[in-house]
Amino acid sequence: MDLFNYSRRETSEVNIGAIPLGASNPIRIQSMTNTSTLNTENSVAQIKRIVDAGANYVRLTTQGIKEAENLKEINISLRTDGYMVPLVADVHFTAKVADIAAQYAEKVRINPGNYVDAPRTFKHLEYTEEEYKQELQKIRNRFIPFLNICKENHTAIRIGVNHGSLSDRIMSRYGDTPEGMVESCMEFLRICVSENFSDVVISIKASNTVVMVRTVRLLASIMEKEGMRFPLHLGVTEAGDGEDGRIKSALGIGALLSDGLGDTIRVSLSEAPEAEIPVARKLVEYVMLHQDHPYIPGIEAPGFNYLSPSRRQTDAIHNIGGDNLPVVVAERMDGGTETNPQFTPDYIYAGRSIPAIREAGVEYILDADVWEGEEGTYPAFSYEQLLLLGSCPADLKFLFMTYMAQNDEAISCLKYHPEVVIISQSNHPNRLGEHRALVHQLMSEGLKNPVIFFQHYGEDEAENLQIKAAADMGALIFDGLCDGIFIFNQGLLSHAVVDSTAFSILQAGRIRTSKTEYISCPGCGRTLYNLEQTIARIKAATSHLKGLKIGIMGCIVNGPGEMADADYGYVGAGRGKISLYKKKVCIEKNIPEEEAVKRLIELIKENGDYIEEEE
């Protein structure tokens, strides 16, 4: 693939009702109901709201045969009212349910981790080669009849792998790895190919954006080697709500869309399903602006590994680069000093004058021609001032640089000035491509100057800034190229909102932690408690616990698995009942819902992870 110039991956077309997917079709948007699939009236009403918001497909949970059969009534009711949206049945644990759902839904999602394999024990089990082959044959024997039902009813399928629900069998051979997730998917895809079944869509998701992006990249590569062109469904599971959910989704999904991967997306928010659609639409429309852009003559650096990148090696200059956490640079050229104590920038670019009141613990960047060596300040040079670098005594200098200005003269200058941190700028329609090209040229030249990415916007709404900035930064973070981020917004948003966005992007990319992290699912018909209210209560009690990861899950389908990365988990166990986890271990079962949040806080305190909030 071309790292620097956008082109969409070529895929086959999949027929899903009257709305085909893949090939030259637009990137489709979808969501999922959180109503009971047995409640026809509520489900139909919610599907209509989702469709009216702009969704192309709607998924419903079908945890049992009754739910699968009721898809017929839901389908009839929608068609009677003129809603022709294709419905997707979501099946876990019971293969027979998928057989029935295939008769009434336009697409059926199955999870390889629990389609035939026994429920997870989270214990390491040993399989001989012969036993492993026998398990694969069991899958084949059960899966082929399902494919025949789908052929007969013109039903598409989605093979949906989730990081949180890999089978013990896959875990025994591959562990909790992208390779294991990909193989779990490929086992089923190879059967589809052998049976000439082509109406297949693939999703391979995780709540950890690094795992999600690396796994989809690897899957696309392996499918390419095996001659497969199946379209991809993208999503970050358990992304959360509010700013966190939008940024985490835009970072992961946007990184892949920007590389031409993805034919349909679902932004999973712990909010009303219809709230997901505008976010997804904005993300797709923004990334699609990359189409037909002017050519970027970038050259991939030797040794760069797109499928498994590591952090670029740079020299540490003060607290930038090397093994340091990526820094946040903020702009205060208006003289303002407003900051949020939780998200205080490392550096403030003040332009031509230092604010009269300086923020404690923050260092300042001034334009080089007005910098006079004030303590706690550093000069910033433009490309036109390149020759002045040598006469400046500062031991940390910033250089604003575009890729097209990075000529032989600039490269030669940088070789003599390892104390320079580059602030990469781009006004290109595909700014990701230019930022990448700049860093790859540095790598090819053996230069180890740290790079901060300057991202310029003019947004008046926080959501728009969150989506665009996260989408622009995603691939740069996952490629290991980011030593810092500088978001400059000329819209009406406050400095605090812009700063929070920058820190949240770094946290969503798993490269710098600045607040509590919540891994919360969007809810579905399996969720038997009020998810949004519960998340709000847990956040109110724990949002000051910087660095702690808390999983808030509606049910056990992905709960314990996706929470493997979390410190504590709150999981729906039944109607009005909650189970609490420490890592993957269930500590308390079936706690009454009204007591569960209090018990979660007590559990955190018992393990020494709770600190009292400062007044």
Side-chain angles (χ1 to χ4, degrees):
M1 64 165 290
D2 188 334
L3 290 173
F4 316 106
N5 296 283
Y6 175 84
S7 64
R8 190 170 161 192
R9 170 178 169 259
E10 293 184 9
T11 62
S12 55
E13 185 172 75
V14 172
N15 295 300
I16 306 173
I19 303 179
L21 174 69
S24 61
N25 292 294
I27 293 172
R28 305 299 192 185
I29 307 297
Q30 57 183 285
S31 184
M32 184 175 184
T33 61
N34 58 18
T35 55
S36 167
T37 309
L38 293 176
N39 189 321
T40 303
E41 183 178 354
N42 286 357
S43 295
V44 168
Q46 190 173 74
I47 291 169
K48 288 179 179 179
R49 292 196 296 273
I50 295 171
V51 173
D52 290 344
N56 303 116
Y57 311 120
V58 179
R59 182 160 48 115
L60 302 92
T61 185
T62 50
Q63 55 266 58
I65 290 174
K66 290 183 179 179
E67 285 85 357
E69 290 176 337
N70 200 52
L71 289 174
K72 179 180 179 180
E73 300 304 317
I74 293 172
N75 219 323
I76 290 172
S77 182
L78 286 166
R79 308 305 176 232
T80 300
D81 292 344
Y83 283 78
M84 307 307 292
V85 57
L87 301 183
V88 184
D90 192 63
V91 179
H92 296 274
F93 302 118
T94 310
K96 178 64 177 176
V97 172
D99 296 345
I100 296 170
Q103 302 174 54
Y104 306 121
E106 282 73 26
K107 183 169 74 171
V108 176
R109 179 272 175 100
I110 62 166
N111 185 338
N114 56 41
Y115 181 71
V116 171
D117 284 298
R120 296 158 294 163
T121 63
F122 296 103
K123 297 177 182 178
H124 182 76
L125 304 178
E126 296 289 346
Y127 290 82
T128 65
E129 193 65 32
E130 184 58 33
E131 288 171 337
Y132 204 91
K133 288 180 180 177
Q134 289 175 0
E135 294 300 311
L136 290 179
Q137 188 59 46
K138 285 182 185 178
I139 292 174
R140 187 175 181 85
N141 292 344
R142 187 64 190 82
F143 189 48
I144 289 176
F146 169 65
L147 292 181
N148 290 332
I149 293 171
C150 290
K151 288 178 182 178
E152 183 179 344
N153 289 276
H154 305 288
T155 305
I157 68 170
R158 168 155 72 100
I159 297 173
V161 179
N162 275 13
H163 189 215
S165 54
L166 294 178
S167 66
D168 286 334
R169 179 178 58 79
I170 286 290
M171 292 284 285
S172 73
R173 178 163 291 192
Y174 297 93
D176 191 10
T177 63
E179 289 77 12
M181 295 174 69
V182 169
E183 183 59 25
S184 181
C185 178
M186 293 302 294
E187 289 176 352
F188 282 72
L189 285 183
R190 291 178 187 123
I191 297 173
C192 291
V193 171
S194 69
E195 295 299 306
N196 295 313
F197 188 88
S198 59
D199 281 333
V200 182
V201 183
I202 308 155
S203 69
I204 195 156
K205 300 183 180 182
S207 61
N208 182 323
T209 55
V210 177
V211 172
M212 176 259 194
V213 169
R214 289 192 180 186
T215 305
V216 174
R217 286 179 176 183
L218 179 61
L219 173 65
S221 175
I222 290 179
M223 283 200 296
E224 181 76 20
K225 291 177 182 176
E226 298 197 21
M228 297 180 185
R229 297 286 184 180
F230 297 113
L232 291 166
H233 166 132
L234 305 181
V236 177
T237 61
E238 287 78 44
D241 63 352
E243 176 187 64
D244 292 341
R246 284 154 178 78
I247 287 177
K248 189 182 286 189
S249 295
L251 197 81
I253 298 172
L256 294 166
L257 287 178
S258 296
D259 283 342
L261 302 173
D263 301 277
T264 178
I265 73 168
R266 191 241 173 141
V267 172
S268 299
L269 300 177
S270 301
E271 302 174 17
E274 55 267 31
E276 299 177 350
I277 307 306
V279 179
R281 182 67 58 196
K282 288 177 182 179
L283 176 57
V284 169
E285 290 176 353
Y286 182 63
V287 174
M288 287 303 100
L289 295 176
H290 294 179
Q291 295 179 102
D292 304 318
H293 64 71
Y295 181 74
I296 300 170
I299 299 175
E300 185 174 336
F304 175 72
N305 187 343
Y306 175 74
L307 297 182
S308 185
S310 56
R311 186 175 180 183
R312 171 181 168 248
Q313 290 188 346
T314 58
D315 292 329
I317 309 173
H318 285 217
N319 63 335
I320 306 175
D323 295 328
N324 293 297
L325 296 173
V327 298
V328 171
V329 179
E331 170 271 325
R332 297 290 190 273
M333 288 191 294
D334 60 2
T337 58
E338 171 201 10
T339 60
N340 180 332
Q342 191 176 10
F343 306 116
T344 302
D346 303 284
Y347 293 86
I348 286 179
Y349 176 67
R352 306 192 65 77
S353 61
I354 307 176
I357 302 175
R358 291 207 226 171
E359 182 70 25
V362 177
E363 298 186 286
Y364 286 76
I365 303 170
L366 295 173
D367 290 341
D369 59 345
V370 299
W371 180 76
E372 296 179 352
E374 301 94 333
E375 183 179 353
T377 69
Y378 301 95
F381 296 81
S382 66
Y383 170 74
E384 290 73 22
Q385 298 169 312
L386 199 63
L387 297 179
L388 301 178
L389 283 172
S391 60
C392 177
D395 57 357
L396 165 60
K397 305 166 188 173
F398 295 88
L399 174 63
F400 284 90
M401 172 76 73
T402 65
Y403 169 59
M404 297 308 292
Q406 197 166 258
N407 53 24
D408 292 342
E409 181 182 27
I411 293 295
S412 178
C413 184
L414 290 170
K415 287 181 178 179
Y416 284 100
H417 293 286
E419 78 281 8
V420 170
V421 172
I422 297 171
I423 299 180
S424 178
Q425 294 177 285
S426 175
N427 290 319
H428 196 278
N430 181 9
R431 66 175 77 186
L432 164 63
E434 277 207 332
H435 284 311
R436 261 180 170 164
L438 181 146
V439 181
H440 276 261
Q441 185 176 3
L442 294 176
M443 294 165 68
S444 296
E445 296 286 350
L447 291 167
K448 295 186 177 181
N449 302 73
V451 176
I452 294 170
F453 295 107
F454 178 91
Q455 306 284 20
H456 176 261
Y457 305 95
E459 302 301 326
D460 296 331
E461 294 183 16
E463 180 179 273
N464 293 341
L465 178 68
Q466 292 158 5
I467 292 169
K468 292 180 179 181
D472 286 332
M473 283 300 302
L476 299 170
I477 288 174
F478 300 124
D479 285 357
L481 308 181
C482 180
D483 296 303
I485 180 174
F486 180 178
I487 297 179
F488 179 48
N489 185 66
Q490 288 186 295
L492 300 177
L493 298 174
S494 69
H495 292 310
V497 170
V498 178
D499 295 346
S500 174
T501 299
F503 279 99
S504 295
I505 285 171
L506 297 180
Q507 178 148 332
R510 301 295 181 106
I511 56 176
R512 180 170 177 174
T513 299
S514 55
K515 57 184 177 181
T516 314
E517 180 158 343
Y518 299 96
I519 303 169
S520 61
C521 73
C524 67
R526 296 175 184 267
T527 305
L528 300 176
Y529 64 89
N530 190 307
L531 193 64
E532 292 184 58
Q533 289 182 9
T534 301
I535 292 171
R537 289 167 58 204
I538 292 175
K539 282 189 172 184
T542 62
S543 61
H544 64 291
L545 302 177
K546 176 182 175 180
L548 205 66
K549 296 186 180 74
I550 300 175
I552 309 167
M553 318 298 278
C555 70
I556 62 167
V557 170
N558 296 317
E562 291 295 355
M563 291 188 321
D565 198 32
D567 300 296
Y568 297 92
Y570 180 108
V571 181
R575 189 169 298 281
K577 301 292 183 180
I578 305 297
S579 293
L580 299 180
Y581 286 72
K582 178 80 168 71
K583 299 290 187 181
K584 284 186 179 181
V585 179
C586 185
I587 304 299
E588 292 189 61
K589 294 182 178 180
N590 300 318
I591 304 168
E593 181 186 348
E594 57 272 17
E595 301 174 16
V597 173
K598 179 182 177 182
R599 274 300 299 134
L600 173 65
I601 304 307
E602 291 173 357
L603 178 63
I604 296 172
K605 289 181 177 179
E606 289 166 8
N607 284 273
D609 291 327
Y610 191 91
I611 56 174
E612 296 298 332
E613 188 170 8
E614 295 181 6
E615 295 295 333

